[in-house]
Amino acid sequence: MLSTMSTPARATEDRADPTSDTAHRLLEAAAEAFADRGFHATTTRDIASRAGLSPAGVYVHFSSKEELLYQLSREGHEAARDMLVAASAGAGSPTEALRAIMGTFSRWHAEHFRVARIVQYEFGNLTPEHRDAVLGLRKQIDAVVRDVVTAGVATGEFSVDDVPDTTLALMSMAVDVARWYDPEIKRTPAAIGEAYADLGIRLVTAR
Amino acid sequence: MLSTMSTPARATEDRADPTSDTAHRLLEAAAEAFADRGFHATTTRDIASRAGLSPAGVYVHFSSKEELLYQLSREGHEAARDMLVAASAGAGSPTEALRAIMGTFSRWHAEHFRVARIVQYEFGNLTPEHRDAVLGLRKQIDAVVRDVVTAGVATGEFSVDDVPDTTLALMSMAVDVARWYDPEIKRTPAAIGEAYADLGIRLVTAR
DNA sequence: GTCTATATCATGATAGAC
DNA sequence: GTCTATCATGATATAGAC
């Protein structure tokens, strides 16, 4: 988010870089590598070469391999949370909100399946401090969904046996998209989102 | 399954070992380590010491660390498949079958969450040959569930938008149990199984 | 079948020139 | 800020005694 602005603005370059340049390339390289092979199977040499740097070049921008993981995990969690908050806030009813949440969340897990895998499966490779920070974001994400389910039960739109358990099952469906999604398949992220919005409604509706 | 019988039967020992002895201890040690820390983060030294062996002792029983992973992954997939086949075969209707399948499958992912994590998340660390072998088992597992959903649609008990997509979502809920389950939590595997049997029925039932 | 000892190599990270 | 060179460590796997 905050650009370091260590280089002067380039009038001749019309493509703006979202974060300061090579650091951003390194994050993208690390995201690909971590998602494809896992944190521990990824070497700093691999990350460096994918970003076009020497092995030592990484450490100018990040103090460790775990620091790269943390940045990706934190940004990924924040993006997911912000999307869910927006989806929930823009809805006129719990039913609409749940459809928006499930559609958005599952679509995100398909479109950004690399970051999503890091978010979901590499949590345990963070340092204890970083784990704590991310845990706070996870609680926020859970709360957004749980509040919608609670609201729907209150209005009578939903009927569930247990709110926290149902919330977890809803998130499980969306989260698991990142495990099986493959960009080669025919289903588009948008279609997945629509299907999971329907499935989410079914889960909170007794026949 | 097949005991090597390299040691004579011990009349004084009343506890029978399912597989030949230390090999079994090594598999259990590897299962714990792989599930807790992941395949690549686990060292052969770690596995050996958990099994009470020296680092070299592993290689008498398994030719490589990946061989341990393959044994665990294959046995885990086979166990899951056999359970689903039995659950499906013992049911009198698609509704009963789906309840049995979802209850069994999600309960298994809780009770055996260590093996389940290896099954679900370490697939990519198998050699290409072993991946192919396991892929065959995965297709069998998918077919069991898909057939039940198809049968339920045929009898009119179920109403789904798309059979393969719904099958996948059903499995996602159960599979994801292995990700969040923690033996410390209050919910028992049996309670999880019951809850997910209900949720599975909701997914195939339109209001 | 298990051990001690070790070969061989890759890893994360650093030093210091440019 | 990037490089080349390298350190220190720890990895998988093997050799050979017992």
Side-chain angles (χ1 to χ4, degrees), chain A residues 25-26 28-37 42-53 114:
Chain A
R25 277 209 331 277
L26 278 165
E28 286 194 326
E32 262 190 59
F34 291 161
D36 281 2
R37 316 166 36 81
T42 299
T43 68
T44 53
R45 284 167 170 77
D46 185 19
I47 297 169
S49 77
R50 281 187 203 237
L53 287 182
R114 288 177 209 275

Side-chain angles (χ1 to χ4, degrees), chain A residues 159 172 176 187 202-203, chain B residues 159 165 172 176 187 202-203:
Chain A
S159 165
S172 282
D176 201 56
R187 289 176 93 181
R202 287 186 177 221
L203 261 203
Chain B
S159 165
D165 293 355
S172 282
D176 201 55
R187 287 177 94 181
R202 286 185 178 223
L203 260 204

Side-chain angles (χ1 to χ4, degrees), chain B residues 110-196:
Chain B
E111 266 173 348
H112 304 275
F113 71 99
R114 289 177 208 275
V115 171
R117 280 179 196 170
I118 292 164
V119 161
Q120 303 299 349
Y121 304 134
E122 304 295 356
F123 178 72
N125 293 316
L126 295 167
T127 62
E129 295 76 26
H130 290 163
R131 254 205 299 274
D132 282 350
V134 170
L135 206 55
L137 293 167
R138 289 192 165 196
K139 285 179 182 165
Q140 294 176 27
I141 289 171
D142 188 70
V144 177
V145 184
R146 196 179 58 242
D147 287 352
V148 170
V149 175
T150 302
V153 171
T155 66
E157 289 165 64
F158 303 159
S159 165
V160 306
D161 291 330
D162 182 284
V163 170
D165 293 355
T166 302
T167 301
L168 184 51
L170 285 165
M171 305 206 34
S172 282
M173 286 198 302
V175 160
D176 201 55
V177 171
R179 184 181 59 90
W180 55 257
Y181 182 76
D182 181 321
E184 302 286 301
I185 66 173
K186 275 153 277 184
R187 287 177 94 181
T188 64
I192 291 168
E194 286 174 36
Y196 278 68

Side-chain angles (χ1 to χ4, degrees), chain A:
Chain A
M1 278 300 170
L2 72 170
S3 174
T4 56
M5 281 296 152
S6 56
T7 46
R10 288 155 297 176
T12 48
E13 276 272 19
D14 49 2
R15 185 173 52 82
D17 270 327
T19 82
S20 196
D21 224 27
T22 45
H24 188 244
R25 277 209 331 277
L26 278 165
L27 282 170
E28 286 194 326
E32 262 190 59
F34 291 161
D36 281 2
R37 316 166 36 81
F39 177 73
H40 270 101
T42 299
T43 68
T44 53
R45 284 167 170 77
D46 185 19
I47 297 169
S49 77
R50 281 187 203 237
L53 287 182
S54 73
V58 175
Y59 295 89
V60 175
H61 304 276
F62 298 92
S63 63
S64 70
K65 191 172 79 161
E66 191 273 344
E67 185 69 32
L68 276 159
L69 175 63
Y70 174 55
Q71 294 282 351
L72 289 169
S73 182
R74 189 178 49 74
E75 286 176 16
H77 277 89
E78 285 172 352
R81 176 204 56 189
D82 293 346
M83 279 188 355
L84 291 187
V85 168
S88 175
S93 70
T95 297
E96 262 187 50
L98 186 60
R99 292 193 68 89
I101 278 178
M102 285 297 286
T104 302
F105 205 45
S106 53
R107 178 180 173 151
W108 183 81
H109 276 81
E111 264 172 349
H112 304 275
F113 71 99
R114 288 177 209 275
V115 171
R117 282 180 195 170
I118 292 164
V119 161
Q120 303 298 349
Y121 303 134
E122 304 295 354
F123 178 71
N125 292 316
L126 295 167
T127 63
E129 296 76 27
H130 290 162
R131 254 205 300 274
D132 281 351
V134 169
L135 206 54
L137 293 166
R138 288 192 167 197
K139 284 178 181 164
Q140 294 175 29
I141 289 171
D142 188 69
V144 177
V145 183
R146 197 179 56 243
D147 287 353
V148 169
V149 176
T150 302
V153 170
T155 65
E157 289 165 64
F158 303 160
S159 165
V160 306
D161 291 330
D162 182 285
V163 170
D165 294 355
T166 303
T167 301
L168 185 50
L170 285 166
M171 305 206 34
S172 282
M173 286 199 299
V175 160
D176 201 56
V177 171
R179 184 181 59 89
W180 56 257
Y181 182 77
D182 181 322
E184 301 287 303
I185 66 171
K186 276 152 275 184
R187 289 176 93 181
T188 64
I192 291 168
E194 287 174 36
Y196 277 68
D198 287 342
L199 292 172
I201 296 299
R202 287 186 177 221
L203 261 203
V204 297
T205 313
R207 40 115 199 59

Side-chain angles (χ1 to χ4, degrees), chain B residues 43-45 56 59:
Chain B
T43 68
T44 53
R45 283 170 169 76
Y59 294 90

